[in-house]
């Protein structure tokens, strides 16, 4: 059943080849033996799944065989298997082949002497150990053979296969080939030779072929058994004896039919996928070709550049060499001159020569005035000579220590010379980078320690505001824009679109060589311009329980001395109040966004906005707000109280605490953008506390939005009564801390 | 050893063609052979649809009723056009061994010759030859698969009356072997009807427990295997229905209890004859084709 399917599949492949869907010359490369570089003849499947011609494996084995014998073994004895096995006649091969594997008696005899069974696979270079049975272990790749056969035929422009039965000149073209008869027939002859009611009616037949393969694949290890299972471990067909007690006893096997089905489906799927992606493959081939060109050009360029660098180095070295040698030479000459002069001078002091001789002659002068005239000057000279004799001092130092050249450092440098021209890419530091309508991007430099000249940050917009995707499809979408040169590890990018995703990348430059780009990182800009403020120290918060830092950008809730003192008397419990603090800047129009971090250890923190009109009285009467009755998010409220109570609330707040964030119960004035949070079930209203929280107030729309500031996902939004000035508001209970985010410090942000 | 050798001897499988007629684009043939199970010459009819000239086809085995030979079905049932259309080979064997010279084999029309009841007889003098169950489930399929362009994995079984009983027990006793089963007016519960009791007592002996192995209603109660989709047509004016020979109600009760799907169609006005079968043969072949060509 499967054979005919196979054949129809081959037929369809051939048909496609003929239709030009699969260019035939391109299939050829798959049908070529990696050793002989010719179309496969009797290919065998190596354990690594590569196929090689039978004769090529044999030769390969032979070469390795002889190699090992050349290394000195007893094999040159006559009658040993070393005597070259002549190429088996086709008849013999045919016989071997019928068994589905190659097992020649000659080869089995060979196993008497240990023989080489390991060959390198020409396909993948892995060493293949064929084991004791050697080549006879290998399956013949009949499928490949059939394809090669079909390919040969197609290549031969389909030389017709003639009916083997009818005689010329009436010989017909064959329409079927019977795998049992191993003959090809025309329609008439096939019917005649396979009459119904005889066993021949059950013969297997395929389209006309000259390639008659055996009907059943037999196990190479157990020649009487047909293979009927597939070993998942060894990736080869095995028989039940292999599984029962053979070499595959403990291996996972599947039935041949399921292995067939699975592999066939996989292959068909993959092929269809590939064929459907032909355009893509072509594009990629074009790209690869471009890459080849680039590689060639860049390679040559790099070579040329390296050469230039070395030439320059050689020149410098040559220059230095001649300069230094010259200075040595000069020094040597100068000193030699000096020393030689001194030698002459001293020789003058010897009797009968020079000064002494001359002096002796002068002593002979008898005329007093003449003597004095000459001798005075001579005496000075003699005295000097005597002096120099006493204090012998060579005129020059023979030591050339100052010319000793220590090149060990340079040598080390030279030896360490490498392609360090291109700096490693920097890495954008997510934890220190912030993106609002302006982005502050920090990056870490690579570890190669060499100084870089400057960096260039590039950024592009990935997507527009979610609400109005059509608003901005202008040219700034998706195009990389670069900053000017940056000489530090961070920079600020201005004028980013709100509520958009931006991608950032950075690269370093050294000696006009750019590093590769850093990995891209994406940031989502907030839906509104950043609103800068600090905590107000004048709003009347409880300085006893809230500690502001000096910069006023963080507030911490503590027990407070008074509370601790009071707690001395407390034995059964006490009530901690909510303490409120607001921003020092209010909002009376427009959309604004701010972000902050609530420490995860915080007991309970409420964040949101507050209206100034009602604020004062609340601060004047803080106890009221601390009752859980008034805390509309605490879960204590009843529905009836809710409606009228909310209107009078100066605060619109979200509750966080103990690493959690709580989405308020849905009410008429609020809506929740997350799908899971609408129900009244408190479990589903609880989210993990985001690392950073963002709040956006749209004054005109009277709406406040709460975001996970890292992902810019809106967690919750609700109506807010915007009257008067609205302030960022925070309430803390128990220990806790809120840290305002430092907004990007450009001049435009003035508080 | 390079090929799978046939495990049975070829001489025993020799077929002699008795007749061959072109029919519905294919061929209606009758062959004769020496049966090893039945120890006598047996004839069978085989319809080869036009598709068999180029492809391997599934086989439907047809088991005829009391008194029939291989001829009744092929001349009266009108199955060939539908078989040609769906590319199904139909094999119709004879209903019993013939000419075995057993004493009394020809005395009754409902026992002995023409009434093999598709059981393997255990009683003398029948046990040597009357092995119709083994014949139709083993020997005949082997013979057919070896000599005709069949797909051995796709076979089904159908029959009429006693053959309907045969078809049902073949399918119920061999889960998965037959891809489909159908019957016309089958003897559904032979242990409970005069025909069955007579035949079983004769072939199997008086121990009723041995009868259960050949009773469709009993077998259905203990069936487990791939889902069987049974199609049964029954004429309402069938004289043997009213004579309580067929007892389809008993089978249907068990099947509905066991959740075995049965399409049971009571056809008003029809009797037990080939005219009745002829009228619904197309439906049955279509039913078989659905599972055989799936």
């Amino acid at each position: 059943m499967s054979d005919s399917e196979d054949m129809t599949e081959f037929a369809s492949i051939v048909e496609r080849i003929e239709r030009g869907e699969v260019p035939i010359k391109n299939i050829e490369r798959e049908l070529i033996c990696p050793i002989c570089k010719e179309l496969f003849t009797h290919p065998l499947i190596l354990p690594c799944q590569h196929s090689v011609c039978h004769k090529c494996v044999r030769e390969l084995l032979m070469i390795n065989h002889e190699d090992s014998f050349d290394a000195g073994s007893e094999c040159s004895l006559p009658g040993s298997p070393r005597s070259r096995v002549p190429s088996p006649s086709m008849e013999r091969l045919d016989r071997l082949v019928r068994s589905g594997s190659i097992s020649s008696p000659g080869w089995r005899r060979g196993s008497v002497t240990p023989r080489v069974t390991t060959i390198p696979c020409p396909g993948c270079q892995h060493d293949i150990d064929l084991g004791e049975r050697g080549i006879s272990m290998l399956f013949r790749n009949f499928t490949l053979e059939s394809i090669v056969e079909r390919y040969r035929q197609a290549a031969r422009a389909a030389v017709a296969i003639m009916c083997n039965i009818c005689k010329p000149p009436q010989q017909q073209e064959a329409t079927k080939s019977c795998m049992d008869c191993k003959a090809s027939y025309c329609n008439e002859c096939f019917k005649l030779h396979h009459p119904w009611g005889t066993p021949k009616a059950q013969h297997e037949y395929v389209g006309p072929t000259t390639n008659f393969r055996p009907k059943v694949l037999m196990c190479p290890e157990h020649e009487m058994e047909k293979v009927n299972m597939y070993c998942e471990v060894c990736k080869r067909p095995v028989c039940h004896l292999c599984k029962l007690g053979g070499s595959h006893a403990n291996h996972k096997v599947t039935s041949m039919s399921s292995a067939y089905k699975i592999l066939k489906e996989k292959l068909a799927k993959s092929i269809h996928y590939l064929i459907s992606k032909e355009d893509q493959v072509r594009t990629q081939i074009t790209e690869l070709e471009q890459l080849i060109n680039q590689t060639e050009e860049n390679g040559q360029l790099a070579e040329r550049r390296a050469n230039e660098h070395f030439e320059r180095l050689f020149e410098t070295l040559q220059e230095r060499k001649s300069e230094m040698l010259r200075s040595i030479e000069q020094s040597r000459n100068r000193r030699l001159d000096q020393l030689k002069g001194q030698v002459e001078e001293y020789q003058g002091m010897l009797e009968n020569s020079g000064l002494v001789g001359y002096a002796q002659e002068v002593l002979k002068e008898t005329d007093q005035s003449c003597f004095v005239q000459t001798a005075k000057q001579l005496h000075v000279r003699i005295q000097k000579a005597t002096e120099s004799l006493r204090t012998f001092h060579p005129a020059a130092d023979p030591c050339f220590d100052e010319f000793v050249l220590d090149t060990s450092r340079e040598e080390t440098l030279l030896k360490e010379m490498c392609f360090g021209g291109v700096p490693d890419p920097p890495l954008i530091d997510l934890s220190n980078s912030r993106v609002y309508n302006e982005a502050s991007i920090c990056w870490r430099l690579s570890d190669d320690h060499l100084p870089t000249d400057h960096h260039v940050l590039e950024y592009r917009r990935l997507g527009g505001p979610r609400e109005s995707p059509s608003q901005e499809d202008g040219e700034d979408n998706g195009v990389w824009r670069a900053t000017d040169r940056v000489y530090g590890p961070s920079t600020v990018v201005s004028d980013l679109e709100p509520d958009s995703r931006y991608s950032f990348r950075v690269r370093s430059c050294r000696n006009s060589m750019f590093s590769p780009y850093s990995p891209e990182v994406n940031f989502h800009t907030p839906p509104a311009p950043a609103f800068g403020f600090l905590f107000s120290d004048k709003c009347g918060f409880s300085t006893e329980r809230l500690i502001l830092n000096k910069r006023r950008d963080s507030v911490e809730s503590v027990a407070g001395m008074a509370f601790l003192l009071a707690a001395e008397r407390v034995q059964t419990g006490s009530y901690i109040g909510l303490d409120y603090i607001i921003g020092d800047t209010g909002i009376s129009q427009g959309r604004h966004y701010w972000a902050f971090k609530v420490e995860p250890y915080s007991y309970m923190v409420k964040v949101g906005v507050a209206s100034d009109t009602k604020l004062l009285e609340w601060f004047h009467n803080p106890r009221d707000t601390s009752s859980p009755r008034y805390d509309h998010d605490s879960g204590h409220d009843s529905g009836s109280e809710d409606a009228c109570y909310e209107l009078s609330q100066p605060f619109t707040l979200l509750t966080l605490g103990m690493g959690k964030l709580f989405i308020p119960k849905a009410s008429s004035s609020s809506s929740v953008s997350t799908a899971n949070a609408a129900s009244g079930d408190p479990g589903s209203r609880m989210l993990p506390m985001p690392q950073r929280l963002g709040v956006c107030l749209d004054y005109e729309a009277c709406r406040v939005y709460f975001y996970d500031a890292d992902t810019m996902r809106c967690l919750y939004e609700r109506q807010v009564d915007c009257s008067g000035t609205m302030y960022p508001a925070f309430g803390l209970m128990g220990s806790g801390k809120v840290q305002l985010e430092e907004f990007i410090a450009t001049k435009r942000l003035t508080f | 050893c390079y090929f799978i050798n046939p495990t049975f001897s070829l001489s025993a499988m020799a077929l002699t063609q008795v007749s061959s007629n072109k029919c519905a684009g294919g061929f209606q043939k009758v062959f004769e052979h020496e049966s090893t199970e039945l120890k006598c010459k047996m004839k069978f009819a085989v319809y080869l649809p036009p598709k068999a000239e180029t492809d391997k086809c599934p086989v439907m085995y047809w088991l005829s009723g009391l008194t029939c030979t291989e001829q009744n079905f092929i001349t009266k049932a009108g199955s060939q056009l539908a078989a040609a259309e769906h590319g199904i080979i139909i094999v119709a064997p004879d209903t019993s061994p013939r000419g075995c010279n057993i004493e009394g084999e020809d005395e009754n029309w409902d026992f002995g010759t023409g009434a093999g009841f598709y059981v393997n007889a255990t009683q003398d003098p029948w046990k040597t030859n009357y092995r119709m169950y083994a014949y139709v489930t083993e020997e005949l399929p082997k013979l057919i698969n070896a000599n005709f362009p069949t797909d051995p994995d796709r076979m089904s079984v159908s029959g009429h009356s006693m053959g309907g009983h045969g078809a049902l027990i073949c399918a119920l006793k061999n889960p998965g072997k037959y891809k489909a089963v159908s019957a016309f007016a089958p003897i559904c519960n032979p242990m409970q009807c005069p025909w069955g009791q007579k035949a079983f007592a004769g072939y199997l002996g008086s121990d009723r427990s041995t009868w259960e192995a050949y009773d469709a209603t009993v077998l259905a109660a203990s069936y487990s295997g791939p889902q069987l989709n049974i199609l049964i047509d029954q004429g309402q004016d069938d004289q043997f229905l009213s004579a309580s020979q067929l007892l389809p109600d008993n089978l249907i009760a068990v099947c509905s209890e066991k959740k075995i799907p049965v399409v049971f169609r009571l056809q008003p006005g029809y009797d037990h004859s080939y005219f009745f079968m002829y009228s619904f043969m197309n439906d049955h072949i279509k039913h078989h084709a659905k599972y055989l060509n799936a």
Side-chain angles (χ1 to χ4, degrees), chain A residues 26-43:
Chain A
N26 291 348
I27 220 180
E28 184 175 324
R29 41 187 302 158
E30 295 297 329
L31 310 181
I32 286 186
C33 170
I35 297 185
C36 60
K37 311 288 182 201
E38 281 171 18
L39 286 176
F40 281 113
T41 36
H42 309 304

Side-chain angles (χ1 to χ4, degrees), chain A residues 532-594:
Chain A
F533 66 92
L534 295 171
F535 287 115
S536 165
D537 52 357
K538 300 186 182 70
C539 64
F541 68 91
S542 155
T543 51
E544 167 75 14
R545 291 183 301 277
L546 292 186
I547 311 292
L548 266 187
N549 66 349
K550 274 222 178 77
R551 296 177 53 168
R552 290 197 284 120
D553 65 352
S554 94
V555 65
E556 194 168 0
S557 167
V558 297
M561 195 52 72
F563 180 79
L564 290 174
L565 284 174
E568 247 188 340
R569 298 188 301 274
V570 174
Q571 296 293 327
T572 53
S574 82
Y575 187 71
I576 326 169
L578 251 179
D579 286 289
Y580 281 98
I581 187 164
I582 60 170
D584 61 358
T585 315
I587 295 162
S588 50
Q589 60 174 355
R591 280 163 68 92
H592 301 274
Y593 172 87
W594 60 93

Side-chain angles (χ1 to χ4, degrees), chain B residues 182-233:
Chain B
S182 75
F184 291 90
I187 302 172
C188 294
N189 198 358
M191 289 174 74
Q192 307 295 336
C193 75
W195 281 339
Q197 286 162 352
K198 179 176 179 184
F200 285 6
Y203 296 132
L204 304 173
S206 53
D207 181 359
R208 292 177 72 98
S209 68
T210 61
W211 299 5
E212 292 178 350
Y214 295 104
D215 186 301
T217 301
V218 175
L219 290 168
S222 60
Y223 178 80
S224 74
Q227 179 164 311
L228 272 180
N229 288 285
I230 305 171
L231 171 62
I232 295 174
D233 271 311

Side-chain angles (χ1 to χ4, degrees), chain A residues 321-517:
Chain A
K321 178 184 167 191
S322 43
E323 207 172 286
M324 289 170 106
L325 288 181
R326 198 163 56 242
S327 85
I328 290 176
E329 194 183 359
Q330 280 170 352
S331 171
R332 186 191 62 195
N333 289 345
R334 197 183 63 245
R335 289 193 225 188
L336 284 176
D337 284 349
Q338 286 171 342
L339 285 173
K340 278 178 184 161
Q342 205 177 5
V343 167
E344 268 174 36
E345 191 184 325
Y346 273 69
Q347 272 173 346
M349 285 188 256
L350 294 176
E351 201 179 357
N352 298 325
S353 74
L355 185 60
V356 176
Y358 174 59
Q360 282 171 340
E361 289 306 316
V362 170
L363 280 176
K364 291 174 184 162
E365 179 60 65
T366 49
D367 182 89
Q368 286 192 347
S369 57
C370 279
F371 178 80
V372 169
Q373 186 196 0
T374 309
K376 179 64 193 162
Q377 187 247 348
L378 185 64
H379 186 62
V380 172
R381 281 180 69 194
I382 291 292
Q383 266 184 322
K384 258 189 192 165
T386 315
E387 185 69 15
S388 86
L389 201 60
R390 206 168 57 236
T391 67
F392 175 75
H393 193 73
D397 190 350
C399 170
F400 271 74
D401 280 354
E402 66 264 46
F403 290 100
V404 168
L405 200 55
D406 178 11
T407 57
S408 57
R409 195 165 56 94
E410 287 76 4
E411 229 177 283
T412 319
L413 277 180
L414 278 179
K415 277 180 189 157
E416 279 174 1
M417 185 160 57
C418 59
F419 296 106
V422 180
D424 290 344
L427 202 65
I428 292 181
D429 182 356
L430 280 171
S431 61
N432 286 319
S433 298
R434 293 280 177 269
V435 172
Y436 309 102
N437 49 331
E438 309 194 303
S440 163
I441 304 295
C442 299
W443 52 89
R444 282 198 305 274
L445 296 183
S446 57
D447 296 331
D448 67 355
H449 297 306
L450 291 169
T452 44
D453 298 343
H454 64 268
H455 313 274
V456 173
L457 178 72
E458 294 186 12
Y459 61 102
R460 66 169 172 180
R461 187 153 159 246
L462 298 174
R466 276 165 290 202
E467 303 85 37
S468 53
S470 60
Q471 175 201 319
E472 180 100 29
D473 44 2
E475 58 262 38
D476 78 339
N477 257 356
V479 180
W480 286 103
R481 283 180 288 172
T483 59
D484 293 333
R485 292 178 169 197
V486 181
Y487 294 94
S490 71
T491 190
V492 172
V493 179
S494 306
D495 297 326
L496 299 181
E497 291 292 329
D499 197 13
S500 302
R501 284 193 308 119
Y502 279 91
S503 196
F504 294 88
R505 63 184 187 187
V506 66
R507 56 177 176 168
S508 306
C509 180
R510 183 197 300 142
N511 298 330
S512 71
M513 299 280 267
F514 277 102
S515 73
Y517 284 107

